[in-house]
Amino acid sequence: MDYDTVVIGAGAAGLMCAAQAPGRCLVIEHAKTIGEKIRISGGGRCNFTNIYASPDNYISQNPHFVKSALARYTQWDFIDWVSRSGIAYHEKTLGQLFCDGSAKEIIAMLRQAIETANAKIWVSTSVKDLTQIENGFRVLLQRPEGTLSVSTKNIVVACGGKPIPKMGATDFGLRLANQFGLNVTETYAGLVPFTFAGKQLEDFKAISGVATTAKLSSNGQSFKEAILFTHRGMSGPASLQISSYWTPGEEVTVNLLDIETLNLRIMEAKVEEGRKSPNTVLTRLLPARLVPRLLADLYLPERIADMTALNISALTNRLTNWKLTPAGTEGYRTAEVMVGGVDTNSLSSKTMQANKVNGLYFIGECVDITGWLGGYNFQWAWSSGWVAGQSIRESLI
Ligand code: FDA
């Protein structure tokens, strides 16, 4: 065999795996540079993990699958490596850790480890053909100087998911899974802004740029974070989070205010400032540009003192239980992740190796494991890449 391991994809998971896998390891990457999604992540500062990462923060048809890898290589293991590498970081919010300086420091840390492990990285290289041979695989590579055939004991598929095709994202990992008889679950764009149509879109365009905190719910899941109205619809962390749980045609429920706070405010205002309009009173609780849009079709009286029980009920319902039906999402063009992927039933959760194909591993985003927004997806890439690397290490001893 020419190599012990060929890793396809020099993203977060592939680089982590190559840094762990001993022996003759080759990483191939079809883009011109490695770790492009790491570089652009977190606004250039890479939200590289989350201190609260746990299996509860992941979506999968088998929610138990993440447990083993996340327990064997935890966020604390990665944080320790980052610290030992002298990379300064900070917690921004909700346990999300970002580099103080640049995401490029994380790429440099991974590259350094790969160099120390004596693994090779070939960029501008793609796979033309992959076949199983006795005790391994034959890979036909397309390099700038021509085609080249190499043999390897292990193949690690770390091609990521479909988001941001213009950065080189492909469904190649899923196609390889199909080729080797592994199931692939339904895939769709996650952590992605919602789009709206018709009157709702016109309303949102008019308040484009307005942000507020809201609790968004869909399909039994809720997130309370910021939302942002845009000229296409709705974005912001809470929207992105709930988009991973939303299915087309479903409603998203928006709760803008705590019901007790709202009722108290209305009662106080009716007594103390009854001549003021509901609009004026509410702009103390919500952004001034948002309130008239929310109240427009409720036909409330001019003075808050004149609000009837029916008016109050309609207002409370709008502000705590606003039902919106998105037309869709912005799709893979702007999504941060792909939901779904290689069926975890086809893989070992301890090693990420295919159950029925010895030496074939799938790691990172191409697997049916999707993290929440906030560093959880990189943690999955590190954890799954690490366990695959350890498995290869043990197989070579
Ligand atoms: P990744 O996509 O990183 O790597 C796959 C690699 O394979 C790529 O380099 C690709 O070019 C290569 N490849 C694909 N097909 C190939 C082929 N046929 N041959 C050779 N190479 C091939 N997550 C997080 O936790 N914190 C964050 O801050 C962010 N921020 C963020 C911002 C944006 C804009 C996006 C789009 C995504 C994020 N994410 C994130 C998500 C995170 O980037 C993602 O979960 C990981 O990069 C997944 O790591 P992988 O290694 O699995 O795929």
Side-chain angles (χ1 to χ4, degrees):
M1 292 286 170
D2 300 317
Y3 291 97
D4 294 312
T5 310
V6 169
V7 178
I8 309 174
L15 294 172
M16 176 54 132
C17 180
Q20 303 306 316
R24 296 156 306 158
C25 176
L26 170 66
V27 184
I28 64 151
E29 167 58 54
H30 71 168
K32 287 195 191 109
T33 41
I34 66 166
E36 273 298 271
K37 280 197 182 162
I38 303 176
R39 185 182 62 78
I40 62 155
S41 67
R45 292 221 162 97
C46 186
N47 176 196
F48 57 81
T49 192
N50 192 298
I51 57 177
Y52 303 119
S54 86
D56 295 343
N57 309 113
Y58 293 87
I59 305 166
S60 171
Q61 285 193 3
N62 176 4
H64 301 293
F65 187 86
V66 283
K67 288 181 180 169
S68 177
L70 284 185
R72 289 182 62 209
Y73 191 84
T74 70
Q75 59 270 45
W76 303 110
D77 293 317
F78 194 75
I79 293 166
D80 180 50
W81 188 13
V82 168
S83 304
R84 279 188 284 109
S85 304
I87 300 173
Y89 62 89
H90 60 279
E91 180 185 347
K92 198 167 174 189
T93 175
L94 302 171
Q96 301 167 7
L97 300 189
F98 287 74
C99 298
D100 287 357
S102 161
K104 289 182 190 160
E105 295 172 82
I106 300 288
I107 302 173
M109 177 185 92
L110 293 161
R111 192 193 278 278
Q112 172 69 56
I114 288 170
E115 277 169 19
T116 307
N118 274 325
K120 283 186 199 159
I121 303 178
W122 288 354
V123 293
S124 304
T125 304
S126 52
V127 176
K128 282 190 83 178
D129 194 35
L130 174 61
T131 46
Q132 204 172 2
I133 56 173
E134 205 183 337
N135 298 324
F137 303 85
R138 178 154 298 282
V139 196
L140 187 62
L141 298 174
Q142 181 70 55
R143 303 213 66 207
E145 58 273 23
T147 53
L148 174 73
S149 172
V150 298
S151 57
T152 174
K153 284 184 199 155
N154 299 295
I155 284 282
V156 180
V157 183
C159 300
K162 299 187 229 175
I164 325 268
K166 71 172 185 208
M167 285 182 69
T170 65
D171 64 352
F172 190 63
L174 307 182
R175 283 188 273 133
L176 281 181
N178 282 329
Q179 182 190 326
F180 285 95
L182 281 74
N183 284 337
V184 173
T185 67
E186 189 197 343
T187 55
Y188 59 93
L191 300 181
V192 62
F194 285 118
T195 56
F196 284 83
K199 164 90 174 61
Q200 197 68 73
L201 176 61
E202 293 312 311
D203 282 353
F204 287 174
K205 275 183 183 169
I207 52 170
S208 171
V210 170
T212 188
T213 300
K215 183 172 157 194
L216 263 53
S217 309
S218 191
N219 277 325
Q221 186 70 34
S222 299
F223 292 94
K224 188 175 179 186
E225 280 182 72
I227 57 170
L228 170 71
F229 297 96
T230 71
H231 62 287
R232 289 203 183 88
M234 198 165 65
S235 186
S239 285
L240 299 182
Q241 296 277 34
I242 209 69
S243 73
S244 298
Y245 289 85
W246 178 78
T247 44
E250 293 281 334
E251 285 177 338
V252 174
T253 305
V254 182
N255 181 350
L256 292 156
L257 286 174
D258 166 60
I259 197 156
E260 273 91 35
T261 312
L262 176 63
N263 282 335
L264 186 67
R265 185 75 203 102
I266 296 170
M267 292 312 155
E268 279 173 0
K270 269 170 87 77
V271 176
E272 292 162 16
E273 35 190 0
R275 287 162 60 183
K276 293 207 169 124
S277 68
N279 187 73
T280 307
V281 171
L282 286 169
T283 50
R284 291 193 209 129
L285 300 174
L286 289 167
R289 280 174 63 209
L290 173 61
V291 177
R293 294 278 153 187
L294 288 166
L295 307 191
D297 58 352
L298 297 182
Y299 307 106
L300 301 178
E302 280 183 16
R303 298 168 0 131
I304 199 147
D306 299 332
M307 296 254 289
T308 62
L310 215 59
N311 293 144
I312 293 175
S313 159
L315 177 64
T316 311
N317 195 44
R318 171 59 49 85
L319 299 184
T320 63
N321 196 26
W322 189 19
K323 305 279 187 199
L324 296 172
T325 306
T329 70
E330 291 186 10
Y332 289 118
R333 190 180 59 81
T334 61
E336 283 199 17
V337 286
M338 173 179 80
V339 186
V342 178
D343 191 342
T344 57
N345 286 321
S346 312
L347 304 173
S348 154
S349 63
K350 292 193 174 59
T351 63
M352 306 304 294
Q353 188 169 193
N355 293 327
K356 293 192 177 147
V357 189
N358 201 29
L360 179 66
Y361 294 78
F362 288 84
I363 57 173
E365 194 178 331
C366 65
V367 179
D368 172 30
I369 300 290
T370 309
W372 289 2
L373 184 78
Y376 301 100
N377 284 297
F378 277 136
Q379 185 56 45
W380 169 245
W382 315 136
S383 297
S384 59
W386 189 88
V387 295
Q390 296 306 311
S391 167
I392 291 168
R393 180 177 289 270
E394 282 156 24
S395 76
L396 295 178
I397 291 170

